Amino acid sequence: MESRLKVLGHPVHPMLVMFPIGLLVTAVIFDVVDALGGPDFLGEVAYWNITVGLIGGLLAAMAGAFDLLAIPTGTRAKRVALSHAAANLAVILLFAAIWVVRLNAESRAAGGALIAIEVVAVAILGVSAWLGGELVDRLGVGVDAEAGLDAPSSLRPPAATQRIGEAR
């Protein structure tokens, strides 16, 4: 299944996801370093990374929605894509809540509770990124007109490996 939203023949969604992922992960790193006594400006930079990461995440979500809506229902690809979308929504909501708390705060630095929420959000983001990779690399969503939308999970060993293991 090829992506419906392309630029110069390449799907847009995979092009956009790297920016929010990088910005949000970097924000957490900056907040941790700031909390451990790093330079004071890191909390402010982390806040702005979250701001731009949220904007990028929303743009990536809009592009991803085009592909999501095109995936046939009843396929493994649709189930994985819905899990991917739900995880990304959770990440956006968690970081949006963190952003709102920091918006009018006296200091844009994050405290322990906000950093804990950020770490949880980044862990969810890691799961979501794996699911996105599963969609593209294993199921061919967005890149292959003849994608195997019901291919088994990449966590399962290939069929040949299973037969060898069964023979022992």
Side-chain angles (χ1 to χ4, degrees):
M1 179 209 119
E2 287 192 56
S3 177
R4 289 186 173 179
L5 188 59
K6 292 183 174 189
V7 171
L8 300 175
H10 293 279
V12 173
H13 180 67
M15 286 190 269
L16 294 178
V17 299
M18 70 181 108
F19 295 107
I21 290 171
L23 288 162
L24 296 174
V25 170
T26 303
V28 176
I29 293 168
F30 285 174
D31 277 337
V32 168
V33 171
D34 181 47
L36 294 174
D40 291 340
F41 71 89
L42 286 180
E44 183 77 21
V45 173
Y47 168 81
W48 286 106
N49 276 11
I50 291 170
T51 303
V52 178
L54 286 170
I55 294 166
L58 293 173
L59 292 172
M62 288 189 284
F66 280 91
D67 292 339
L68 174 64
L69 294 172
I71 299 172
T73 54
T75 61
R76 179 169 176 270
K78 187 69 157 197
R79 292 187 301 275
V80 172
L82 288 171
S83 298
H84 173 67
N88 284 333
L89 178 61
V91 170
I92 292 294
L93 291 174
L94 288 170
F95 273 106
I98 292 164
W99 182 83
V100 167
V101 168
R102 293 168 82 165
L103 177 64
N104 293 317
E106 201 170 297
S107 167
R108 295 268 170 84
L114 290 181
I115 292 173
I117 295 168
E118 288 176 352
V119 169
V120 168
V122 165
I124 296 168
L125 184 59
V127 170
S128 180
W130 184 86
L131 290 169
E134 185 78 355
L135 284 166
V136 173
D137 294 335
R138 182 68 171 185
L139 299 167
V141 171
V143 295
D144 186 355
E146 302 299 320
L149 298 177
D150 285 309
S153 171
S154 62
L155 295 176
R156 292 185 185 162
T161 306
Q162 286 177 339
R163 284 192 295 274
I164 291 169
E166 291 170 3
R168 292 181 187 183

